[in-house]
Amino acid sequence: MSKPHIAAGLSVLAKSASDANGVKLAAHIACHLSHSTPLAVNLLEFDLGYPLRSLGLRSSAYGQTPAGRINLRRASNLIYRTVGRALGEPPGGFDELDHTRYIQAAKTRLGQDGPNRDGFYLAPSFWAFSSHDDRVMVRTAWDEARRLAVAGLKALCHRDSESRSSACYRRWFGDATPSRTAAVGQVLQRVYSGLQQACVSVSCMHRVTDDLTIVEKGVSAGGGTVSAKVTNAAVWGTAWHRGGFLCLGSNFFDPLLSSRLRTTIHRTARGSGLEISRGGAILHEATHLFGNTDDLELVKVPDFFADPEFEEGKKNPDAAAYGPWICARVADLAPHLAVDNADSFRLFCEDAFARVG
């Protein structure tokens, strides 16, 4: 389940894009929660409930509602229990001014910089809008993406000595040339290192609430700071190579659209579908994030539009190179562009893993 009491505290800290320190402080707390045990997080959620101590509260003299006063106390205690021990204990009651001062001091002292701990963390939106199963799914998929990157690197190293690895490479990147092979290897090495070590915020775009808004970096195009209260986004994910942010949409969590790691190679027949594993979706976005890949626009491959089978592309001039059938055709028609296309890397690594896994 989501953590409504923790989410309420986070929303106090990160309710405005103009409050950069509050947004960074909320990210610090989310990073801490991501590296805590489920038991510790559940205990914190319980302790922030205040079911009895808040009975009989009235609006403050400054206009703060009872719910607002409770959330201020949640925010200050959330800070102290996660990243703010050095600040000392927060106020014990529900006084609006006392908690506001404590929170402001925390923003000043702790909100100057964002998290810098190695490894990914689940952004504030994940704690507000997602379930425990969703969070486990992301952790599992991240580990699977690392395994895919390793499989891709091994296949690349063995392409000259193993016919299967060579065929796998040609299928998604065309004939091997030294420059293209080196480019593929550089991207995969950066992806593996990034998945292993980089401090990356993973946001959640697939939940909507009407009464809670949390602002965070990374949920908008270009990695800007906007509200994480986003309409159900029918995408697998999005990432921007200039920031440490990766956002996952509803398709990632849909068991009909995403799966565990594949154990069979992809079909390249027309109409075979996208065939996306969740680890593959993370790896696709990681190539954007760490390898500066693109989603190739098919208008850059004129021969593709001459193909009589490509009816969908003729109707959609913005079509991009996603899925086995299209990416295999790109490898045949424009291999120099395939080495910059994110889904070509996803398909290569998934096939490499299926061949040895």
Side-chain angles (χ1 to χ4, degrees):
M1 65 177 66
S2 61
K3 306 298 181 187
H5 300 147
I6 290 174
L10 289 170
S11 70
V12 170
L13 304 176
K15 60 185 177 182
S16 172
S18 62
D19 185 1
N21 283 17
V23 172
K24 291 175 183 176
L25 177 56
H28 270 298
I29 292 171
C31 184
H32 180 93
L33 294 173
S34 300
H35 291 91
S36 301
T37 65
L39 178 61
V41 174
N42 289 336
L43 180 60
L44 176 59
E45 171 69 14
F46 177 81
D47 289 345
L48 295 180
Y50 306 129
L52 298 177
R53 287 169 283 178
S54 60
L55 291 179
L57 278 181
R58 299 179 180 179
S59 296
S60 72
Y62 303 96
Q64 187 69 258
T65 65
R69 294 173 66 185
I70 294 170
N71 287 341
L72 283 171
R73 182 170 180 179
R74 283 174 174 149
S76 58
N77 277 272
L78 178 61
I79 293 166
Y80 176 71
R81 293 277 295 274
T82 54
V83 298
R85 294 286 182 177
L87 297 172
E89 292 191 13
F94 293 92
D95 185 272
E96 174 185 352
L97 294 183
D98 287 345
H99 286 290
T100 299
R101 282 192 288 266
Y102 186 90
I103 292 167
Q104 190 56 50
K107 290 180 180 179
T108 301
R109 291 181 57 180
L110 305 173
Q112 299 294 325
D113 301 301
N116 59 4
R117 183 170 181 171
D118 286 354
F120 81 96
Y121 68 93
L122 301 174
S125 60
F126 246 103
W127 299 101
F129 305 133
S130 72
S131 68
H132 172 75
D133 289 345
D134 289 339
R135 294 190 288 274
V136 170
M137 190 180 293
V138 174
R139 295 180 193 277
T140 301
W142 198 273
D143 181 63
E144 290 175 345
R146 283 196 293 258
R147 295 167 65 189
L148 289 175
V150 169
L153 285 167
K154 288 182 177 179
L156 195 64
C157 290
H158 297 155
R159 74 188 185 283
D160 294 330
S161 58
E162 293 184 5
S163 59
R164 291 188 305 170
S165 296
S166 178
C168 184
Y169 178 92
R170 288 197 306 272
R171 196 181 199 205
W172 304 116
F173 298 117
D175 291 336
T177 66
S179 61
R180 286 204 295 267
T181 302
V184 172
Q186 288 174 359
V187 169
L188 287 177
Q189 188 59 59
R190 290 172 186 161
V191 166
Y192 176 75
S193 297
L195 291 171
Q196 194 78 359
Q197 299 175 349
C199 183
V200 179
S201 166
V202 180
S203 299
C204 165
M205 302 194 297
H206 75 296
R207 295 287 185 263
V208 179
T209 62
D210 295 325
D211 56 352
L212 182 67
T213 297
I214 290 178
V215 168
E216 65 192 16
K217 288 184 70 66
V219 297
S220 68
T225 304
V226 297
S227 170
K229 190 174 75 171
V230 178
T231 327
N232 283 343
V235 297
W236 279 267
T238 183
W240 191 49
H241 76 273
R242 293 185 182 177
F245 309 103
L246 191 156
C247 308
L248 298 173
S250 59
N251 289 1
F252 178 90
F253 300 92
D254 189 333
L256 298 178
L257 298 173
S258 301
S259 66
R260 295 292 301 270
L261 288 182
R262 297 177 56 82
T263 56
T264 58
I265 65 172
H266 289 283
R267 301 165 295 166
T268 56
R270 184 174 182 270
S272 56
L274 296 177
E275 300 181 339
I276 297 177
S277 70
R278 284 184 287 273
I282 295 286
L283 183 127
H284 174 117
E285 300 305 332
T287 68
H288 291 318
L289 199 59
F290 307 118
N292 196 16
T293 62
D294 293 317
D295 295 321
L296 174 65
E297 298 173 355
L298 292 179
V299 293
K300 296 179 180 179
V301 191
D303 290 345
F304 215 116
F305 284 83
D307 190 328
E309 292 186 334
F310 191 51
E311 294 298 329
E312 180 183 352
K314 294 181 175 65
K315 299 174 185 177
N316 179 14
D318 297 323
Y322 297 113
W325 179 67
I326 290 179
C327 289
R329 295 287 290 148
V330 169
D332 289 336
L333 297 170
H336 63 291
L337 297 178
V339 298
D340 291 321
N341 183 53
D343 221 35
S344 299
F345 282 90
R346 191 262 303 180
L347 294 161
F348 171 67
C349 290
E350 285 180 332
D351 271 8
F353 179 84
R355 289 176 186 275
V356 299

